[in-house]
């Protein structure tokens, strides 16, 4: 159980929840509003894909810079700057007037999210070392749950406010709340002795780092494709923006539940591969249903793929942190995994859009991800706990 005897620990838990809730709504909000955005800006499916591709690519690029940024200004200051950037990007969406400006705001928010994702896992390992599996589950669950909030509330707010700009820009409020709580209650960093343990060059020379990047990136490519195209997919089949947004919210909610549940179930042993394979079975079920019989059980396909993606994200983060004992070093490995992973994941929505233009539908894209799941299933066999120390030794 998580000890909450000290009020400060409760405030740290509140910060975990608020930060997690802010990391995905800016992505999930755009899909349900795609019709209005395209009508107002003239964006095609390929240009719409930039609203996911650009921020996710920046998540990858800036994740590589996370360890260096932490060494230079400290994890606490990096978190506060990143949350301020996210709030500014969300506020700017209230005033965008073109496709280019909208993509620019996505890029700005993506930079902030990238910095948070790069430094936050190390912070969590430092302050919750004894409960890391549970805390990472909570962080992952709120991250995915925030996606559900964005998908569900954004079309409702847009309808009430009479425009998609407010449907995107209202996210400045939760970002400002997270910034306030982090500024007030995130503890100061320890002495910089931590920085000596961050050997980024060594980690990048180890095949295990690249294996983690590939597994993380391929799975999160499924996530980026689903949040970009699940709602437009069903809008093409006659669904409204609100109804398709509800389906996307159900997918994201199942992600959050699974991200919280699976780490709790997997906490008794260090070998997470059996649970990871179960998450891949769930993903395969969802993608197969979307590709071959989308109208039979849309909610089932969305929930299955969401649960698989959410649980896989949480467990893969835990596996990366399990590789190294020192918080700063483990955080650096997790940051590098996310760096290469998000660069890979950023391509998936664009490739799916390209397949849509070539085939006239999304079935080929869903089928592509079904094949990716099979590949990751094979790669996961190499993530045995007894290999952790040897894989990163040197």
């Amino acid at each position: 159980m998580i000890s909450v005897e000290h009020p400060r620990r409760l405030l740290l838990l509140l910060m975990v929840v608020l930060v997690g809730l802010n990391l995905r709504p800016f992505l999930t909000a755009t899909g349900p509003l795609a019709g209005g955005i395209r009508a107002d800006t003239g964006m095609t499916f390929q240009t719409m894909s930039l609203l996911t591709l650009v921020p996710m690519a920046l998540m990858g690029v800036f994740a590589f810079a996370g360890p260096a940024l932490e060494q230079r200004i400290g994890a606490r200051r990096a978190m506060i700057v990143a949350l301020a950037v996210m709030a500014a990007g969300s506020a700017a969406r209230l005033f965008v007037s073109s496709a280019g400006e909208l993509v620019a705001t996505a890029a700005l928010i993506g930079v902030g999210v990238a910095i948070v994702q790069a430094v936050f896992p190390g912070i969590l390992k430092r302050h919750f070392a004894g409960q890391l599996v549970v805390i990472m589950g909570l962080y992952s669950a709120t991250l995915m749950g925030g996606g559900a909030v964005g998908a569900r509330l954004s079309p409702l707010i847009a309808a009430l406010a009479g425009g998609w700009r407010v449907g995107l820009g209202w996210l400045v409020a939760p970002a400002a709340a997270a910034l306030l709580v982090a500024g007030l209650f995130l503890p100061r960093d320890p002495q910089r002795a931590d920085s000596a343990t961050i050997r980024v060059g060594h980690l990048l020379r180890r095949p295990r780092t690249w294996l983690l990047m590939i597994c993380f990136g391929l799975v999160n490519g499924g996530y980026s494709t689903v949040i970009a195209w699940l709602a437009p997919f069903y809008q093409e089949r006659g669904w409204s923006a609100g109804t398709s947004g509800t389906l996307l919210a159900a997918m994201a909610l199942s992600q959050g539940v699974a991200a919280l549940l699976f780490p709790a179930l997997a906490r008794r042993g260090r070998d997470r591969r059996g649970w990871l394979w179960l998450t891949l079975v769930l993903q395969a079920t969802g993608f197969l249903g979307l590709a071959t019989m989308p109208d039979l059980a849309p909610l089932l396909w969305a929930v299955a793929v969401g649960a698989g993606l959410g649980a896989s994200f949480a467990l893969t983060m835990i596996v990366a942190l399990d590789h190294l004992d020192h918080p700063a070093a483990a955080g650096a490995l997790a940051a590098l995994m996310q760096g290469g992973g998000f660069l890979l994941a950023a391509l998936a929505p664009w490739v799916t859009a390209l397949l849509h233009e070539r085939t006239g539908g999304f079935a080929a894209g869903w089928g592509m991800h079904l094949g990716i799941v099979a590949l990751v299933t094979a790669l996961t066999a190499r993530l045995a706990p007894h290999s952790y120390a040897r894989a990163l030794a040197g």
Side-chain angles (χ1 to χ4, degrees):
M1 295 293 291
I2 301 170
S3 172
V4 293
E5 297 173 356
H6 197 285
R8 194 166 191 86
R9 182 58 64 92
L10 284 173
L11 293 171
L12 285 175
L13 287 174
L14 174 62
M15 184 194 68
V16 172
V17 171
L18 284 175
V19 169
L21 286 173
N22 274 279
L23 300 183
R24 291 296 180 270
F26 82 105
L27 292 173
T28 59
T30 57
L33 300 176
I37 293 172
R38 291 183 66 210
D40 210 13
T41 64
M43 297 177 81
T44 65
F45 277 113
Q46 286 218 42
T47 54
M48 278 290 297
S49 74
L50 295 178
L51 296 176
T52 305
L53 187 156
V54 170
M56 293 201 76
L58 289 170
M59 287 182 203
V61 171
F62 279 83
F64 282 114
L69 186 64
E70 182 172 348
Q71 285 183 260
R72 182 172 293 273
I73 69 172
R76 182 181 187 277
R77 189 176 299 173
M79 281 286 296
I80 291 171
V81 169
L83 290 168
V85 168
M86 291 165 57
S90 295
R93 292 188 140 184
L94 293 167
F95 308 104
V96 296
S97 58
S98 69
E101 291 175 359
L102 185 57
V103 173
T105 62
L108 186 62
I109 301 170
V111 169
V113 170
I115 296 171
V116 171
Q117 292 180 156
V119 301
F120 204 38
I123 292 173
L124 296 181
K125 182 149 186 165
R126 180 177 298 119
H127 294 292
F128 296 98
Q131 304 90 24
L132 181 64
V133 172
V134 177
I135 289 296
M136 284 305 300
L138 176 64
Y139 166 62
S140 301
T142 55
L143 185 150
M144 304 302 175
V149 171
R152 186 69 188 100
L153 290 188
S154 288
L156 295 179
I157 291 172
L160 290 173
W164 55 265
R165 292 173 182 81
V166 179
L168 299 177
W170 73 273
L171 291 167
V172 64
L179 173 62
L180 177 63
V181 172
L184 291 174
F185 305 118
L186 183 59
R188 295 186 181 277
D189 298 324
Q191 294 299 313
R192 294 300 177 86
D194 268 6
S195 63
T197 66
I198 303 177
R199 300 175 294 162
V200 173
H202 166 75
L203 292 175
L204 285 174
R205 290 191 295 270
R206 307 308 299 170
R208 177 55 54 89
T209 304
W210 293 89
L211 174 64
L212 289 168
M213 286 182 189
I214 291 169
C215 290
F216 186 84
L218 290 175
V219 168
N220 278 277
Y223 172 74
S224 60
T225 295
V226 169
I227 61 172
W229 301 127
L230 183 66
F233 173 54
Y234 278 100
Q235 287 173 19
E236 283 191 342
R237 307 183 78 82
W239 292 37
S240 68
T243 307
S244 63
T246 300
L247 184 66
L248 185 60
M251 184 280 299
L253 183 61
S254 71
Q255 285 184 305
V257 172
L260 187 63
L261 178 62
F262 273 64
L265 293 173
R267 73 184 185 278
R268 295 189 179 277
R270 294 189 75 208
D271 194 344
R272 327 282 184 192
R273 289 177 298 172
W275 295 104
L276 282 168
W277 280 320
L278 180 56
T279 73
L280 292 164
V281 169
L282 289 170
Q283 291 174 51
T285 300
F287 284 126
L288 180 63
L290 291 171
T292 61
M293 40 191 167
D295 298 317
L296 178 64
L299 182 61
L300 175 61
W301 311 142
V303 168
V305 78
L309 291 167
S312 181
F313 178 93
L315 291 174
T316 307
M317 289 292 295
I318 292 167
V319 167
L321 293 171
D322 279 347
H323 273 73
L324 295 164
D325 292 330
H326 197 282
L333 178 61
L336 294 176
M337 177 186 75
Q338 292 178 87
F342 281 122
L343 283 173
L344 186 58
L347 296 173
W350 179 82
V351 173
T352 302
L354 183 61
L355 290 171
H356 180 278
E357 291 193 0
R358 297 288 176 85
T359 65
F362 285 104
W366 306 134
M368 174 187 72
H369 284 292
L370 189 60
I372 287 172
V373 167
L375 175 59
V376 177
T377 299
L379 294 175
T380 298
R382 300 181 60 187
L383 297 176
H386 66 76
S387 70
Y388 291 172
R390 182 177 69 254
L392 296 177

